[in-house]
Amino acid sequence: MQLSSGLSPRRSKLWYRAWAAVFVLMLAGSVYLLYYATKQVDYVWRWYRIPQYFWYVEQVETRSMLDGDIAAVEQGATGTVITVTGLDGEVERYTVPGGGELRVSQGDMVSSGDVLGFHEVQHVGIMVEAAWLTLKVSFLSIVIGIGLGVLTGLARLSHNPALRWTAITYIELIRGSPLLVQIYIWYFVFGTLINQLLGKYGLPQPSALWYGVASMAMFTGAYVAEIVRAGIQSVHRGQVEAARSLGMTSFECLRHVVLPQAIRRILPPLAGQFISLVKDSSLLGIIALRELTKATRELITSNLQPFEMWFVCAMLYLVMTFALSMLLQWFERKWLTS
Amino acid sequence: MMKESTPMIRVEAISKFFHLPHRVVALDKVSAEIVAGEVVVVIGPSGSGKSTFLRCLNRLEYADEGHIWIDGVDILSPKTNINAMRAETGMVFQSFNLFPHKTVLENITLAQQVVKKRPKAEAEHKAMALLERVGIPDKAQAYPDRLSGGQQQRVAIARSLAMDPKVLLFDEPTSALDPEMVGEVLDVMQNLARDGMTMVVVTHEMGFAREVAHRVLFMDQGRILEEGTPMHFFTDPQHERTKLFLSQIL
């Protein structure tokens, strides 16, 4: 409708609503079909098990190590301090942090291993930790990838053959092989070599995370370079000629005339590239980074609820990519109006 | 018009070759001298090399052979600061080439601030004076896409003038304009000529050539075939090719 409004015949409101209803019905139908199919294979949905992977409360017990009597129960600075006097006259102090619940009172007899009190500890769940790692890897890769991509894109347009050919070689190598293979190469080939070398000189060795970031950043950089190149080339030649004819250097021309115009055309494809990157980070599980997909796989092996887990995993990716997309659209608007 | 003896522009046997991919001789040992305050109109059929000739004068095209001096400076020498030279050799394009992301005022102040390092207030003061001169001070805060073609071209002229050029080069400045806007641009150019600006104008506007030019160069196939006063050129052309050209366009 938006694409060829001038060509479309006039439509009635009824026509519009009827097709909207078709859409809603199709959506509902697909969900029902899925539900029906899982019923047929006796799959039991257990959504209530899912929240613990986001947030859970641990009950921590404080136990006595002595056989003896509770000599005193006092309020300390960090909680309740319980003093236990052993049968042999030794004295131990235990602290149940503030907000905890006591199971004993002064004068009680306790045996070794008895519970003196509980307190609750809030924990971030595995899925949130994994999502955080996914975000961290993606963010680092995007930042490094932008830098690499802009430099490579400019080098690709340079008249200097060394710069141009380096850029072309890099871009073609990266674009011509699967990301999965590149991750393997970074971790198992470069990672081994670099860590061996660093170890030989007694230097600290980067963790798997950094090899993951390196592979993703190099991968993204090549695509960003092509986006940057296309954006710069889309600025009309006359703009460069006008700027240069006024006496601007090529750098001044790039900074004041070409890049401000190119950036508006670069942003939309760049957004697409970054969204791909977030999703591609799911491959990093193969080098033992416990990002979202790897964490989901691990949890399924213990809780045997693959249907819920994979939907939750997909939903988390969707939240991240949608937020990123919104952020870049906001940038775009900001740039277009200023 | 007073004419000085030392030329503002001296062109000595420049040649330019394009490889597209077969070799094309765009300029074939062209020589010319243009003195300060002179208005020279270059005419000729399309592909005759007139635009290439003009673009060689501020090194938007680097001549493959020959020499060019602007106000005594050899602009083809690698030692010459070409950016400083270009600032003094303004150029007005057929397609205006205003910066679409900047307002009219910013279009005129940008190079003043970046190249000439003028303070913002001074650059804006100068820009407003120039907009006054080309007749559109009320458009200072507008973006170029809100302007008509004729207004855009007048802004482009003001943008060049802001650099205090010694020479202005015009590359078919009215060819992309609607017919009713040609006049306003030609008026501005005519006023510049009257004020003594050295101008080289590639154009198809024969009326302008006849009334404003001091000298007309006729180019064909990369050479200057004929040159002379407009009077001579339009009434008594010597060369057969010139006669043919004039008979086709007049």
Side-chain angles (χ1 to χ4, degrees):
Chain A
M1 210 166 69
Q2 282 91 347
L3 202 64
S4 57
S5 57
L7 287 171
S8 316
R10 284 179 233 160
R11 307 286 200 201
S12 69
K13 267 228 153 67
L14 185 69
W15 176 89
Y16 187 80
R17 281 182 190 154
W19 284 107
V22 167
F23 168 74
V24 172
L25 278 177
M26 285 197 317
L27 212 60
S30 330
V31 173
Y32 175 74
L33 211 63
L34 179 71
Y35 178 74
Y36 175 78
T38 58
K39 278 286 165 216
Q40 296 308 300
V41 299
D42 293 325
Y43 186 84
V44 185
W45 294 87
R46 294 196 176 90
W47 283 105
Y48 63 86
R49 283 192 181 174
I50 302 303
Q52 60 176 316
Y53 304 129
F54 287 82
W55 194 265
Y56 65 94
V57 179
E58 190 194 6
Q59 298 264 330
V60 180
E61 296 158 341
T62 309
R63 290 173 189 268
S64 170
M65 295 298 202
L66 291 175
D67 295 327
D69 299 313
I70 306 291
V73 178
E74 304 145 324
Q75 284 302 315
T78 56
T80 314
V81 179
I82 300 167
T83 312
V84 181
T85 316
L87 297 175
D88 316 335
E90 41 191 327
V91 175
E92 289 263 7
R93 285 195 168 76
Y94 301 95
T95 307
V96 177
E101 195 182 314
L102 293 186
R103 280 295 156 91
V104 291
S105 49
Q106 195 173 351
D108 286 357
M109 274 188 65
V110 287
S111 313
S112 171
D114 280 359
V115 175
L116 301 174
F118 295 96
H119 70 280
E120 293 181 341
V121 179
Q122 309 278 332
H123 283 284
V124 171
I126 294 171
M127 289 300 266
V128 173
E129 274 176 2
W132 171 244
L133 183 64
T134 292
L135 272 181
K136 190 163 124 187
V137 172
S138 303
F139 177 77
L140 289 171
S141 309
I142 285 173
V143 170
I144 301 172
I146 288 179
L148 210 54
V150 170
L151 290 180
T152 310
L154 292 175
R156 174 77 180 73
L157 290 169
S158 167
H159 292 292
N160 181 328
L163 284 176
R164 192 170 69 244
W165 294 342
T166 306
I168 292 173
T169 309
Y170 162 56
I171 292 168
E172 293 305 323
L173 275 181
I174 296 290
R175 294 205 308 177
S177 61
L179 177 56
L180 187 62
V181 173
Q182 289 176 34
I183 295 171
Y184 279 132
I185 290 177
W186 268 101
Y187 187 64
F188 291 109
V189 181
F190 297 158
T192 310
L193 292 175
I194 291 170
N195 281 359
Q196 297 265 337
L197 272 178
L198 290 175
K200 210 167 159 184
Y201 296 106
L203 296 165
Q205 300 168 347
S207 64
L209 173 84
W210 289 103
Y211 291 109
V213 167
S215 59
M216 303 291 291
M218 286 293 274
F219 180 76
T220 308
Y223 285 88
V224 171
E226 285 294 86
I227 293 170
V228 167
R229 178 182 67 88
I232 288 176
Q233 282 183 329
S234 77
V235 176
H236 195 269
R237 242 185 91 80
Q239 293 289 312
V240 177
E241 290 185 351
R244 299 305 302 273
S245 80
L246 289 165
M248 290 189 207
T249 63
S250 52
F251 175 76
E252 287 163 349
C253 167
L254 193 69
R255 164 153 159 38
H256 295 286
V257 175
V258 175
L259 283 184
Q261 294 181 61
I263 195 109
R264 298 165 197 214
R265 284 167 237 194
I266 287 174
L267 269 177
L270 215 52
Q273 189 57 44
F274 293 157
I275 285 166
S276 300
L277 176 89
V278 172
K279 295 183 291 181
D280 288 344
S281 71
S282 61
L283 291 171
L284 291 176
I286 56 165
I287 57 170
L289 281 179
R290 205 206 235 170
E291 44 65 58
L292 209 43
T293 306
K294 167 104 167 144
T296 308
R297 244 182 9 226
E298 283 179 7
L299 287 174
I300 289 170
T301 57
S302 65
N303 71 7
L304 305 176
Q305 300 291 146
F307 290 16
E308 295 92 332
M309 290 308 295
W310 285 123
F311 281 135
V312 165
C313 176
M315 198 55 74
L316 283 173
Y317 277 112
L318 192 66
V319 167
M320 284 191 266
T321 54
F322 187 72
L324 188 61
S325 163
M326 288 291 111
L327 184 74
L328 282 155
Q329 271 182 35
W330 176 78
F331 261 124
E332 222 173 295
R333 264 201 304 278
K334 202 180 140 203
W335 248 303
L336 277 176
T337 48
S338 69
Chain B
M1 188 64 56
M2 216 189 73
K3 293 187 180 179
E4 295 164 26
S5 51
T6 51
M8 178 60 89
I9 302 174
R10 192 151 82 85
V11 179
E12 200 179 273
I14 57 166
S15 298
K16 178 73 191 174
F17 313 108
F18 290 123
H19 304 269
L20 335 139
H22 57 286
R23 191 173 135 113
V24 175
V25 182
L27 289 178
D28 188 7
K29 298 194 176 61
V30 172
S31 298
E33 283 195 3
I34 295 160
V35 297
E38 197 177 16
V39 177
V40 173
V41 167
V42 186
I43 61 175
S46 75
S48 60
K50 52 194 193 309
S51 279
T52 307
F53 171 69
L54 197 73
R55 291 161 60 83
C56 281
L57 295 183
N58 69 348
R59 233 172 82 176
L60 282 185
E61 303 286 355
Y62 202 114
D64 294 315
E65 293 171 0
H67 297 280
I68 301 171
W69 290 269
I70 306 277
D71 203 18
V73 179
D74 178 1
I75 65 159
L76 297 184
S77 158
K79 288 177 198 151
T80 302
N81 178 355
I82 189 62
N83 295 313
M85 281 315 296
R86 283 201 185 113
E88 294 183 351
T89 318
M91 185 148 197
V92 177
F93 300 86
Q94 178 178 356
S95 49
F96 329 134
N97 297 344
L98 294 181
F99 307 132
H101 59 299
K102 303 231 173 249
T103 63
V104 164
L105 192 70
E106 289 165 348
N107 261 277
I108 306 176
T109 54
L110 178 65
Q112 292 190 67
Q113 291 177 264
V114 172
V115 179
K116 295 246 171 189
K117 313 288 181 215
R118 283 182 191 147
K120 190 167 180 233
E122 187 192 336
E124 284 182 351
H125 184 74
K126 174 125 192 149
M128 284 314 295
L130 286 166
L131 281 175
E132 203 82 51
R133 191 161 158 195
V134 299
I136 39 173
D138 51 317
K139 300 288 184 191
Q141 299 306 327
Y143 281 89
D145 61 356
R146 296 278 149 218
L147 270 55
S148 72
Q151 291 170 333
Q152 289 193 45
Q153 193 60 296
R154 285 188 277 161
V155 173
I157 293 172
R159 180 174 68 177
S160 292
L161 288 173
M163 307 304 284
D164 303 318
K166 294 174 182 164
V167 179
L168 267 188
L169 309 174
F170 293 83
D171 190 3
E172 303 198 23
T174 57
S175 297
L177 297 176
D178 287 340
E180 72 264 32
M181 291 167 187
V182 171
E184 62 192 51
V185 172
L186 290 182
D187 283 347
V188 169
M189 290 167 65
Q190 195 158 3
N191 287 335
L192 285 172
R194 198 175 300 136
D195 295 345
M197 176 62 76
T198 311
M199 293 161 63
V200 184
V201 185
V202 171
T203 187
H204 295 298
E205 290 295 325
M206 293 305 144
F208 180 83
R210 215 185 304 236
E211 287 163 30
V212 184
H214 301 127
R215 199 145 50 100
V216 177
L217 305 183
F218 178 75
M219 288 188 71
D220 188 42
Q221 296 185 336
R223 292 181 197 172
I224 297 176
L225 279 192
E226 188 155 359
E227 63 172 293
T229 61
M231 178 76 145
H232 154 86
F233 187 79
F234 288 106
T235 56
D236 184 26
Q238 301 299 305
H239 209 283
E240 281 307 314
R241 185 68 187 87
T242 319
K243 287 177 190 165
L244 178 67
F245 179 77
L246 288 173
S247 73
Q248 280 166 337
I249 60 161
L250 290 178

